[in-house]
Amino acid sequence: MFNFLYHSLIRTFEHLGMTKEFTISSEIAIDHSLKSQDKVLAFCEALGANTYVNSIGGRDLYSPDEFRKRGIDLEFLHSRPLVYPQSGVVFIPDLSIIDVMMFNPLAIVRDWIANNYEWV
């Protein structure tokens, strides 16, 4: 399953014309028995990160104070509302990038990615 998801992510980035170096988390030397915030902090420290960005839905999962104590800024990324024609009568918001790509030209998808996120 991992290989399928990993290659799907790489192909999606390629299709969108985006480049990014991916690191496989299981290959990072940390205590992999850690859970949740502790595991994220261990990854950040192992990689020398000074900022961790999570989707807005993770606000209740992480303690800004714990990140700050370790010299790591905790940021959240929020997407602005996107409404586009779908095949149904009623628009269903917040679906995956796959849905967005199915119903929109590539140029519009690229523009949305570049311009419709905000840090909170």
Side-chain angles (χ1 to χ4, degrees):
M1 181 59 121
F2 167 78
N3 286 333
F4 172 77
L5 295 173
Y6 180 72
H7 290 290
S8 294
L9 185 62
I10 289 171
R11 297 294 174 251
T12 300
F13 267 69
E14 288 173 353
H15 178 72
L16 293 170
M18 301 167 64
T19 58
K20 183 71 183 153
E21 181 180 330
F22 292 94
T23 302
I24 298 171
S25 63
S26 62
E27 296 176 357
I28 299 171
I30 67 160
D31 176 357
H32 287 275
S33 69
L34 293 170
K35 302 289 182 205
S36 307
Q37 176 176 274
D38 294 330
K39 193 167 194 174
V40 170
L41 286 165
F43 281 131
C44 289
E45 290 175 339
L47 296 170
N50 55 19
T51 303
Y52 176 71
V53 180
N54 200 82
S55 66
I56 194 70
R59 273 196 141 161
D60 294 335
L61 300 176
Y62 303 111
S63 165
D65 290 338
E66 288 302 314
F67 280 80
R68 200 173 304 114
K69 285 180 195 175
R70 299 195 193 190
I72 302 168
D73 293 327
L74 177 60
E75 305 273 349
F76 293 95
L77 189 62
H78 181 261
S79 60
R80 294 184 187 108
L82 176 66
V83 177
Y84 53 92
Q86 294 171 327
S87 61
V89 176
V90 177
F91 176 74
I92 302 170
D94 303 322
L95 297 177
S96 76
I97 189 67
I98 305 296
D99 191 75
V100 175
M101 291 188 314
M102 284 186 345
F103 292 106
N104 294 279
L106 187 55
I108 290 175
V109 176
R110 287 178 176 159
D111 180 67
W112 180 73
I113 290 170
N115 297 303
N116 285 288
Y117 286 91
E118 58 190 356
W119 302 97
V120 293

